[in-house]
Amino acid sequence: MALRQKIAVLIGGVGGAKLALGLANLQPTPQLTFIVNTGDDFWHLGLKICPDIDTLMYTLAGVVDPQLGWGIADDTTCVLAGLRRRYAIDTWFKLGDQDLALHLLRTEAMRGEVSLTDFTSAIARRLGITATILPMCEAEMPTTIHTRDHGEMSFQEYFVRRRWQPVIQRVRYGSRQAASVPAPVREALAKADLVMIAPSNPWLSIAPILAVPGMRELLAAASAPKVAITPVIGGDAVKGPTAKIMRELGLAVSARTVASYYDGVIDGFVDDLRNPHFSMDGLRTTRLDTLMTDLERKVAVAQDTLDWARGWVS
Ligand code: FO1
């Protein structure tokens, strides 16, 4: 493997950002490229919001709200208060004032026809982030949730407004415009020494990335090993709706289900020590402690995964 390892990571959500922080704190630090889910993106109050990109940027910049895992620590909410009190607007999506600053800039950039890729790179640099952060595609590909009792709804309507309580029947990874894999993402996958799939929600955070036309083919063509880390630990998700969604889709809540879901995409799977052992034809597996409770554990999961992958490549 190259001296300064190039790692491309498919990632989304708060769970994914924990691994990202671990990877970014490795010594020596690998050359990191994060390919981020934008299926959660939406327009709200006239602004373009990219929650997974922002969560990752705020986490790597060390400014994320540690309790929530998204938004900026100690942010104020004066604008939301104004909208609520003076104009009786339902402020169900919590946008802090400093967070709003980023949405204003992004919206202006989008109107000026700056690409999301270029805008994100500029902001990441400004925040002092050395890793490369790339949106999965330029076109809008909003994820839509089909629920049993409330029909179809947008991702944030399901996730935030209704607190992921509606029962899911189907998830649709949509495209309003022709979508394709951006050139920097292609390059990162082609040059990577290792491709990782973060322990993000497979159905809500990773599937939208895999749904970008051409993405699966690029992953198949990449010569690097492709390794996913389980989001299921001890028969449950650490946080968020992963286990609930699996049950609603009629799937067993297990790491094996996740590994099967990534069949044809990955050749290695990092399972957790707490899960029952399983094996699948053609899939290398290892069992590690993957719980990322503090920075030390995040770094350990990143390091252990790399050491394992290095071992079976050399
Ligand atoms: N998540 C919530 O549960 N409630 C919110 O009000 C909320 C606001 C929000 C604002 C900006 C941002 O970047 C993220 C925000 N999130 C919020 C998190 C986010 O919507 C979800 O965690 C992801 O989309 C799922 O990965």
PDB file of all heavy atoms in Angstrom, residues 13-14 40 52 70 92-93 145 153-166 201 204-205 239-242 245:
ATOM      1  N   GLY A  13     -24.648  11.159   7.753  1.00  0.00           N
ATOM      2  CA  GLY A  13     -25.239  11.149   9.092  1.00  0.00           C
ATOM      3  C   GLY A  13     -24.243  11.266  10.231  1.00  0.00           C
ATOM      4  O   GLY A  13     -23.035  11.349  10.040  1.00  0.00           O
ATOM      5  N   VAL A  14     -24.822  11.258  11.428  1.00  0.00           N
ATOM      6  CA  VAL A  14     -24.039  11.476  12.650  1.00  0.00           C
ATOM      7  C   VAL A  14     -23.121  10.288  12.939  1.00  0.00           C
ATOM      8  O   VAL A  14     -21.960  10.460  13.352  1.00  0.00           O
ATOM      9  CB  VAL A  14     -25.007  11.752  13.832  1.00  0.00           C
ATOM     10  CG1 VAL A  14     -24.266  11.819  15.149  1.00  0.00           C
ATOM     11  CG2 VAL A  14     -25.792  13.052  13.591  1.00  0.00           C
ATOM     12  N   ASP A  40     -30.441  13.680   1.679  1.00  0.00           N
ATOM     13  CA  ASP A  40     -31.175  14.379   2.749  1.00  0.00           C
ATOM     14  C   ASP A  40     -31.319  15.873   2.461  1.00  0.00           C
ATOM     15  O   ASP A  40     -31.985  16.583   3.216  1.00  0.00           O
ATOM     16  CB  ASP A  40     -30.416  14.290   4.088  1.00  0.00           C
ATOM     17  CG  ASP A  40     -30.179  12.883   4.554  1.00  0.00           C
ATOM     18  OD1 ASP A  40     -30.421  11.953   3.778  1.00  0.00           O
ATOM     19  OD2 ASP A  40     -29.739  12.715   5.707  1.00  0.00           O
ATOM     20  N   ASP A  52     -25.939  16.361   5.753  1.00  0.00           N
ATOM     21  CA  ASP A  52     -24.843  15.402   5.969  1.00  0.00           C
ATOM     22  C   ASP A  52     -23.482  16.023   5.675  1.00  0.00           C
ATOM     23  O   ASP A  52     -22.505  15.749   6.371  1.00  0.00           O
ATOM     24  CB  ASP A  52     -25.068  14.131   5.139  1.00  0.00           C
ATOM     25  CG  ASP A  52     -26.130  13.235   5.782  1.00  0.00           C
ATOM     26  OD1 ASP A  52     -26.705  13.639   6.813  1.00  0.00           O
ATOM     27  OD2 ASP A  52     -26.376  12.123   5.266  1.00  0.00           O
ATOM     28  N   TRP A  70     -25.113  17.281  15.308  1.00  0.00           N
ATOM     29  CA  TRP A  70     -25.296  18.126  14.127  1.00  0.00           C
ATOM     30  C   TRP A  70     -25.420  19.580  14.608  1.00  0.00           C
ATOM     31  O   TRP A  70     -25.596  19.814  15.811  1.00  0.00           O
ATOM     32  CB  TRP A  70     -26.536  17.713  13.304  1.00  0.00           C
ATOM     33  CG  TRP A  70     -27.795  17.542  14.113  1.00  0.00           C
ATOM     34  CD1 TRP A  70     -28.242  16.362  14.648  1.00  0.00           C
ATOM     35  CD2 TRP A  70     -28.724  18.565  14.509  1.00  0.00           C
ATOM     36  NE1 TRP A  70     -29.409  16.587  15.352  1.00  0.00           N
ATOM     37  CE2 TRP A  70     -29.731  17.924  15.274  1.00  0.00           C
ATOM     38  CE3 TRP A  70     -28.823  19.932  14.295  1.00  0.00           C
ATOM     39  CZ2 TRP A  70     -30.819  18.619  15.819  1.00  0.00           C
ATOM     40  CZ3 TRP A  70     -29.901  20.628  14.834  1.00  0.00           C
ATOM     41  CH2 TRP A  70     -30.878  19.969  15.581  1.00  0.00           C
ATOM     42  N   TRP A  92     -40.001  23.883  12.733  1.00  0.00           N
ATOM     43  CA  TRP A  92     -39.741  22.466  13.091  1.00  0.00           C
ATOM     44  C   TRP A  92     -38.317  22.034  12.783  1.00  0.00           C
ATOM     45  O   TRP A  92     -37.798  21.125  13.406  1.00  0.00           O
ATOM     46  CB  TRP A  92     -40.735  21.551  12.379  1.00  0.00           C
ATOM     47  CG  TRP A  92     -40.708  21.657  10.880  1.00  0.00           C
ATOM     48  CD1 TRP A  92     -41.371  22.556  10.122  1.00  0.00           C
ATOM     49  CD2 TRP A  92     -39.955  20.855   9.971  1.00  0.00           C
ATOM     50  NE1 TRP A  92     -41.093  22.368   8.787  1.00  0.00           N
ATOM     51  CE2 TRP A  92     -40.220  21.318   8.675  1.00  0.00           C
ATOM     52  CE3 TRP A  92     -39.080  19.770  10.119  1.00  0.00           C
ATOM     53  CZ2 TRP A  92     -39.655  20.750   7.534  1.00  0.00           C
ATOM     54  CZ3 TRP A  92     -38.520  19.210   8.991  1.00  0.00           C
ATOM     55  CH2 TRP A  92     -38.814  19.700   7.714  1.00  0.00           C
ATOM     56  N   PHE A  93     -37.674  22.696  11.826  1.00  0.00           N
ATOM     57  CA  PHE A  93     -36.291  22.339  11.492  1.00  0.00           C
ATOM     58  C   PHE A  93     -35.374  23.352  12.147  1.00  0.00           C
ATOM     59  O   PHE A  93     -35.387  24.534  11.806  1.00  0.00           O
ATOM     60  CB  PHE A  93     -36.110  22.316   9.973  1.00  0.00           C
ATOM     61  CG  PHE A  93     -34.878  21.574   9.539  1.00  0.00           C
ATOM     62  CD1 PHE A  93     -34.825  20.182   9.589  1.00  0.00           C
ATOM     63  CD2 PHE A  93     -33.765  22.251   9.078  1.00  0.00           C
ATOM     64  CE1 PHE A  93     -33.690  19.480   9.193  1.00  0.00           C
ATOM     65  CE2 PHE A  93     -32.624  21.561   8.678  1.00  0.00           C
ATOM     66  CZ  PHE A  93     -32.591  20.179   8.733  1.00  0.00           C
ATOM     67  N   ILE A 145     -39.635   9.010   1.335  1.00  0.00           N
ATOM     68  CA  ILE A 145     -40.050   7.904   2.197  1.00  0.00           C
ATOM     69  C   ILE A 145     -41.525   7.587   1.943  1.00  0.00           C
ATOM     70  O   ILE A 145     -42.380   8.477   2.049  1.00  0.00           O
ATOM     71  CB  ILE A 145     -39.855   8.283   3.699  1.00  0.00           C
ATOM     72  CG1 ILE A 145     -38.449   8.845   3.953  1.00  0.00           C
ATOM     73  CG2 ILE A 145     -40.171   7.100   4.591  1.00  0.00           C
ATOM     74  CD1 ILE A 145     -37.306   7.888   3.803  1.00  0.00           C
ATOM     75  N   MET A 153     -43.541  11.031   1.762  1.00  0.00           N
ATOM     76  CA  MET A 153     -43.067  12.316   2.305  1.00  0.00           C
ATOM     77  C   MET A 153     -41.567  12.494   2.044  1.00  0.00           C
ATOM     78  O   MET A 153     -40.853  11.521   1.791  1.00  0.00           O
ATOM     79  CB  MET A 153     -43.367  12.425   3.798  1.00  0.00           C
ATOM     80  CG  MET A 153     -42.722  11.389   4.659  1.00  0.00           C
ATOM     81  SD  MET A 153     -43.267  11.513   6.381  1.00  0.00           S
ATOM     82  CE  MET A 153     -44.935  10.895   6.295  1.00  0.00           C
ATOM     83  N   SER A 154     -41.132  13.748   2.124  1.00  0.00           N
ATOM     84  CA  SER A 154     -39.708  14.032   1.912  1.00  0.00           C
ATOM     85  C   SER A 154     -38.908  13.499   3.100  1.00  0.00           C
ATOM     86  O   SER A 154     -39.446  13.247   4.180  1.00  0.00           O
ATOM     87  CB  SER A 154     -39.490  15.542   1.793  1.00  0.00           C
ATOM     88  OG  SER A 154     -39.672  16.137   3.061  1.00  0.00           O
ATOM     89  N   PHE A 155     -37.605  13.378   2.889  1.00  0.00           N
ATOM     90  CA  PHE A 155     -36.765  12.798   3.932  1.00  0.00           C
ATOM     91  C   PHE A 155     -36.841  13.571   5.249  1.00  0.00           C
ATOM     92  O   PHE A 155     -37.039  12.992   6.320  1.00  0.00           O
ATOM     93  CB  PHE A 155     -35.300  12.720   3.461  1.00  0.00           C
ATOM     94  CG  PHE A 155     -34.422  12.140   4.518  1.00  0.00           C
ATOM     95  CD1 PHE A 155     -34.289  10.767   4.649  1.00  0.00           C
ATOM     96  CD2 PHE A 155     -33.771  12.953   5.429  1.00  0.00           C
ATOM     97  CE1 PHE A 155     -33.515  10.213   5.662  1.00  0.00           C
ATOM     98  CE2 PHE A 155     -32.996  12.416   6.442  1.00  0.00           C
ATOM     99  CZ  PHE A 155     -32.863  11.050   6.558  1.00  0.00           C
ATOM    100  N   GLN A 156     -36.667  14.887   5.188  1.00  0.00           N
ATOM    101  CA  GLN A 156     -36.630  15.660   6.439  1.00  0.00           C
ATOM    102  C   GLN A 156     -38.004  15.724   7.106  1.00  0.00           C
ATOM    103  O   GLN A 156     -38.100  15.838   8.325  1.00  0.00           O
ATOM    104  CB  GLN A 156     -36.054  17.059   6.210  1.00  0.00           C
ATOM    105  CG  GLN A 156     -34.598  17.070   5.732  1.00  0.00           C
ATOM    106  CD  GLN A 156     -33.601  16.456   6.717  1.00  0.00           C
ATOM    107  OE1 GLN A 156     -33.919  16.249   7.898  1.00  0.00           O
ATOM    108  NE2 GLN A 156     -32.415  16.144   6.248  1.00  0.00           N
ATOM    109  N   GLU A 157     -39.070  15.661   6.301  1.00  0.00           N
ATOM    110  CA  GLU A 157     -40.425  15.584   6.872  1.00  0.00           C
ATOM    111  C   GLU A 157     -40.524  14.315   7.734  1.00  0.00           C
ATOM    112  O   GLU A 157     -41.024  14.345   8.857  1.00  0.00           O
ATOM    113  CB  GLU A 157     -41.449  15.549   5.722  1.00  0.00           C
ATOM    114  CG  GLU A 157     -42.877  15.200   6.106  1.00  0.00           C
ATOM    115  CD  GLU A 157     -43.649  16.374   6.675  1.00  0.00           C
ATOM    116  OE1 GLU A 157     -43.274  17.514   6.383  1.00  0.00           O
ATOM    117  OE2 GLU A 157     -44.622  16.124   7.423  1.00  0.00           O
ATOM    118  N   TYR A 158     -40.008  13.223   7.188  1.00  0.00           N
ATOM    119  CA  TYR A 158     -40.015  11.948   7.914  1.00  0.00           C
ATOM    120  C   TYR A 158     -39.065  11.991   9.102  1.00  0.00           C
ATOM    121  O   TYR A 158     -39.446  11.677  10.234  1.00  0.00           O
ATOM    122  CB  TYR A 158     -39.616  10.809   6.953  1.00  0.00           C
ATOM    123  CG  TYR A 158     -39.155   9.555   7.650  1.00  0.00           C
ATOM    124  CD1 TYR A 158     -40.069   8.664   8.210  1.00  0.00           C
ATOM    125  CD2 TYR A 158     -37.792   9.263   7.754  1.00  0.00           C
ATOM    126  CE1 TYR A 158     -39.632   7.513   8.860  1.00  0.00           C
ATOM    127  CE2 TYR A 158     -37.351   8.118   8.402  1.00  0.00           C
ATOM    128  CZ  TYR A 158     -38.278   7.248   8.961  1.00  0.00           C
ATOM    129  OH  TYR A 158     -37.841   6.122   9.604  1.00  0.00           O
ATOM    130  N   PHE A 159     -37.833  12.430   8.848  1.00  0.00           N
ATOM    131  CA  PHE A 159     -36.778  12.250   9.843  1.00  0.00           C
ATOM    132  C   PHE A 159     -36.876  13.246  10.993  1.00  0.00           C
ATOM    133  O   PHE A 159     -36.768  12.876  12.160  1.00  0.00           O
ATOM    134  CB  PHE A 159     -35.411  12.377   9.157  1.00  0.00           C
ATOM    135  CG  PHE A 159     -34.281  11.831   9.974  1.00  0.00           C
ATOM    136  CD1 PHE A 159     -33.884  10.511   9.835  1.00  0.00           C
ATOM    137  CD2 PHE A 159     -33.604  12.630  10.889  1.00  0.00           C
ATOM    138  CE1 PHE A 159     -32.845   9.993  10.595  1.00  0.00           C
ATOM    139  CE2 PHE A 159     -32.564  12.115  11.654  1.00  0.00           C
ATOM    140  CZ  PHE A 159     -32.183  10.808  11.501  1.00  0.00           C
ATOM    141  N   VAL A 160     -37.084  14.498  10.649  1.00  0.00           N
ATOM    142  CA  VAL A 160     -37.072  15.535  11.692  1.00  0.00           C
ATOM    143  C   VAL A 160     -38.482  15.898  12.136  1.00  0.00           C
ATOM    144  O   VAL A 160     -38.811  15.826  13.318  1.00  0.00           O
ATOM    145  CB  VAL A 160     -36.305  16.788  11.200  1.00  0.00           C
ATOM    146  CG1 VAL A 160     -36.431  17.934  12.198  1.00  0.00           C
ATOM    147  CG2 VAL A 160     -34.829  16.449  10.978  1.00  0.00           C
ATOM    148  N   ARG A 161     -39.343  16.279  11.171  1.00  0.00           N
ATOM    149  CA  ARG A 161     -40.664  16.762  11.579  1.00  0.00           C
ATOM    150  C   ARG A 161     -41.470  15.669  12.280  1.00  0.00           C
ATOM    151  O   ARG A 161     -42.108  15.910  13.292  1.00  0.00           O
ATOM    152  CB  ARG A 161     -41.433  17.263  10.367  1.00  0.00           C
ATOM    153  CG  ARG A 161     -42.645  18.084  10.738  1.00  0.00           C
ATOM    154  CD  ARG A 161     -43.262  18.698   9.516  1.00  0.00           C
ATOM    155  NE  ARG A 161     -43.942  19.920   9.860  1.00  0.00           N
ATOM    156  CZ  ARG A 161     -44.352  20.815   8.987  1.00  0.00           C
ATOM    157  NH1 ARG A 161     -44.106  20.638   7.701  1.00  0.00           N
ATOM    158  NH2 ARG A 161     -45.003  21.883   9.372  1.00  0.00           N
ATOM    159  N   ARG A 162     -41.399  14.470  11.742  1.00  0.00           N
ATOM    160  CA  ARG A 162     -42.168  13.370  12.347  1.00  0.00           C
ATOM    161  C   ARG A 162     -41.294  12.436  13.181  1.00  0.00           C
ATOM    162  O   ARG A 162     -41.723  11.343  13.544  1.00  0.00           O
ATOM    163  CB  ARG A 162     -42.908  12.587  11.270  1.00  0.00           C
ATOM    164  CG  ARG A 162     -43.973  13.413  10.555  1.00  0.00           C
ATOM    165  CD  ARG A 162     -44.663  12.573   9.524  1.00  0.00           C
ATOM    166  NE  ARG A 162     -45.654  13.317   8.787  1.00  0.00           N
ATOM    167  CZ  ARG A 162     -46.965  13.197   8.951  1.00  0.00           C
ATOM    168  NH1 ARG A 162     -47.447  12.356   9.836  1.00  0.00           N
ATOM    169  NH2 ARG A 162     -47.791  13.894   8.205  1.00  0.00           N
ATOM    170  N   ARG A 163     -40.068  12.870  13.454  1.00  0.00           N
ATOM    171  CA  ARG A 163     -39.133  12.150  14.339  1.00  0.00           C
ATOM    172  C   ARG A 163     -39.022  10.659  14.017  1.00  0.00           C
ATOM    173  O   ARG A 163     -39.131   9.808  14.896  1.00  0.00           O
ATOM    174  CB  ARG A 163     -39.530  12.335  15.807  1.00  0.00           C
ATOM    175  CG  ARG A 163     -39.468  13.768  16.252  1.00  0.00           C
ATOM    176  CD  ARG A 163     -40.173  13.966  17.557  1.00  0.00           C
ATOM    177  NE  ARG A 163     -40.456  15.363  17.790  1.00  0.00           N
ATOM    178  CZ  ARG A 163     -39.616  16.221  18.353  1.00  0.00           C
ATOM    179  NH1 ARG A 163     -38.447  15.825  18.755  1.00  0.00           N
ATOM    180  NH2 ARG A 163     -39.957  17.473  18.519  1.00  0.00           N
ATOM    181  N   TRP A 164     -38.917  10.326  12.763  1.00  0.00           N
ATOM    182  CA  TRP A 164     -38.843   8.976  12.186  1.00  0.00           C
ATOM    183  C   TRP A 164     -39.815   7.963  12.799  1.00  0.00           C
ATOM    184  O   TRP A 164     -39.548   6.781  12.849  1.00  0.00           O
ATOM    185  CB  TRP A 164     -37.412   8.451  12.078  1.00  0.00           C
ATOM    186  CG  TRP A 164     -36.433   8.668  13.208  1.00  0.00           C
ATOM    187  CD1 TRP A 164     -35.618   9.722  13.392  1.00  0.00           C
ATOM    188  CD2 TRP A 164     -36.141   7.763  14.298  1.00  0.00           C
ATOM    189  NE1 TRP A 164     -34.833   9.562  14.511  1.00  0.00           N
ATOM    190  CE2 TRP A 164     -35.129   8.375  15.091  1.00  0.00           C
ATOM    191  CE3 TRP A 164     -36.607   6.516  14.693  1.00  0.00           C
ATOM    192  CZ2 TRP A 164     -34.591   7.777  16.226  1.00  0.00           C
ATOM    193  CZ3 TRP A 164     -36.070   5.914  15.831  1.00  0.00           C
ATOM    194  CH2 TRP A 164     -35.082   6.556  16.578  1.00  0.00           C
ATOM    195  N   GLN A 165     -41.004   8.479  13.175  1.00  0.00           N
ATOM    196  CA  GLN A 165     -42.007   7.582  13.769  1.00  0.00           C
ATOM    197  C   GLN A 165     -42.896   6.850  12.744  1.00  0.00           C
ATOM    198  O   GLN A 165     -43.298   5.708  12.986  1.00  0.00           O
ATOM    199  CB  GLN A 165     -42.872   8.358  14.782  1.00  0.00           C
ATOM    200  CG  GLN A 165     -42.125   8.692  16.057  1.00  0.00           C
ATOM    201  CD  GLN A 165     -41.318   7.510  16.582  1.00  0.00           C
ATOM    202  OE1 GLN A 165     -41.882   6.490  16.952  1.00  0.00           O
ATOM    203  NE2 GLN A 165     -39.995   7.641  16.608  1.00  0.00           N
ATOM    204  N   PRO A 166     -43.235   7.474  11.572  1.00  0.00           N
ATOM    205  CA  PRO A 166     -44.068   6.733  10.618  1.00  0.00           C
ATOM    206  C   PRO A 166     -43.412   5.407  10.194  1.00  0.00           C
ATOM    207  O   PRO A 166     -42.188   5.317  10.092  1.00  0.00           O
ATOM    208  CB  PRO A 166     -44.169   7.689   9.422  1.00  0.00           C
ATOM    209  CG  PRO A 166     -43.943   9.049   9.987  1.00  0.00           C
ATOM    210  CD  PRO A 166     -42.953   8.851  11.107  1.00  0.00           C
ATOM    211  N   ASN A 201     -26.400   4.752   8.366  1.00  0.00           N
ATOM    212  CA  ASN A 201     -27.620   3.989   8.075  1.00  0.00           C
ATOM    213  C   ASN A 201     -27.575   3.506   6.614  1.00  0.00           C
ATOM    214  O   ASN A 201     -27.549   4.330   5.700  1.00  0.00           O
ATOM    215  CB  ASN A 201     -28.836   4.903   8.299  1.00  0.00           C
ATOM    216  CG  ASN A 201     -30.146   4.184   8.129  1.00  0.00           C
ATOM    217  OD1 ASN A 201     -30.344   3.447   7.159  1.00  0.00           O
ATOM    218  ND2 ASN A 201     -31.056   4.375   9.066  1.00  0.00           N
ATOM    219  N   LEU A 204     -30.758   4.808   4.566  1.00  0.00           N
ATOM    220  CA  LEU A 204     -30.992   6.252   4.457  1.00  0.00           C
ATOM    221  C   LEU A 204     -29.746   7.044   4.060  1.00  0.00           C
ATOM    222  O   LEU A 204     -29.872   8.094   3.424  1.00  0.00           O
ATOM    223  CB  LEU A 204     -31.533   6.810   5.786  1.00  0.00           C
ATOM    224  CG  LEU A 204     -32.858   6.214   6.283  1.00  0.00           C
ATOM    225  CD1 LEU A 204     -33.319   6.931   7.551  1.00  0.00           C
ATOM    226  CD2 LEU A 204     -33.944   6.277   5.210  1.00  0.00           C
ATOM    227  N   SER A 205     -28.569   6.570   4.423  1.00  0.00           N
ATOM    228  CA  SER A 205     -27.359   7.370   4.166  1.00  0.00           C
ATOM    229  C   SER A 205     -26.471   6.802   3.066  1.00  0.00           C
ATOM    230  O   SER A 205     -25.852   7.560   2.321  1.00  0.00           O
ATOM    231  CB  SER A 205     -26.516   7.493   5.447  1.00  0.00           C
ATOM    232  OG  SER A 205     -27.223   8.178   6.448  1.00  0.00           O
ATOM    233  N   LYS A 239     -27.689   4.530  17.568  1.00  0.00           N
ATOM    234  CA  LYS A 239     -28.549   5.706  17.641  1.00  0.00           C
ATOM    235  C   LYS A 239     -29.332   5.752  16.333  1.00  0.00           C
ATOM    236  O   LYS A 239     -28.883   5.216  15.325  1.00  0.00           O
ATOM    237  CB  LYS A 239     -27.662   6.961  17.762  1.00  0.00           C
ATOM    238  CG  LYS A 239     -28.325   8.155  18.394  1.00  0.00           C
ATOM    239  CD  LYS A 239     -27.355   9.309  18.530  1.00  0.00           C
ATOM    240  CE  LYS A 239     -28.154  10.578  18.853  1.00  0.00           C
ATOM    241  NZ  LYS A 239     -27.602  11.741  18.236  1.00  0.00           N
ATOM    242  N   GLY A 240     -30.485   6.391  16.340  1.00  0.00           N
ATOM    243  CA  GLY A 240     -31.195   6.593  15.075  1.00  0.00           C
ATOM    244  C   GLY A 240     -32.062   5.403  14.670  1.00  0.00           C
ATOM    245  O   GLY A 240     -32.161   4.408  15.401  1.00  0.00           O
ATOM    246  N   PRO A 241     -32.663   5.498  13.480  1.00  0.00           N
ATOM    247  CA  PRO A 241     -33.727   4.560  13.115  1.00  0.00           C
ATOM    248  C   PRO A 241     -33.300   3.290  12.362  1.00  0.00           C
ATOM    249  O   PRO A 241     -34.152   2.603  11.838  1.00  0.00           O
ATOM    250  CB  PRO A 241     -34.610   5.427  12.213  1.00  0.00           C
ATOM    251  CG  PRO A 241     -33.658   6.359  11.543  1.00  0.00           C
ATOM    252  CD  PRO A 241     -32.535   6.604  12.513  1.00  0.00           C
ATOM    253  N   THR A 242     -31.999   2.990  12.292  1.00  0.00           N
ATOM    254  CA  THR A 242     -31.581   1.847  11.468  1.00  0.00           C
ATOM    255  C   THR A 242     -32.341   0.568  11.827  1.00  0.00           C
ATOM    256  O   THR A 242     -32.917  -0.088  10.944  1.00  0.00           O
ATOM    257  CB  THR A 242     -30.053   1.604  11.591  1.00  0.00           C
ATOM    258  OG1 THR A 242     -29.373   2.816  11.265  1.00  0.00           O
ATOM    259  CG2 THR A 242     -29.590   0.502  10.650  1.00  0.00           C
ATOM    260  N   ILE A 245     -36.111   0.687  10.986  1.00  0.00           N
ATOM    261  CA  ILE A 245     -36.355   0.568   9.538  1.00  0.00           C
ATOM    262  C   ILE A 245     -36.183  -0.879   9.083  1.00  0.00           C
ATOM    263  O   ILE A 245     -36.978  -1.392   8.288  1.00  0.00           O
ATOM    264  CB  ILE A 245     -35.395   1.499   8.758  1.00  0.00           C
ATOM    265  CG1 ILE A 245     -35.784   2.950   9.013  1.00  0.00           C
ATOM    266  CG2 ILE A 245     -35.417   1.196   7.265  1.00  0.00           C
ATOM    267  CD1 ILE A 245     -34.827   3.964   8.437  1.00  0.00           C
TER     268      ILE A 245
END
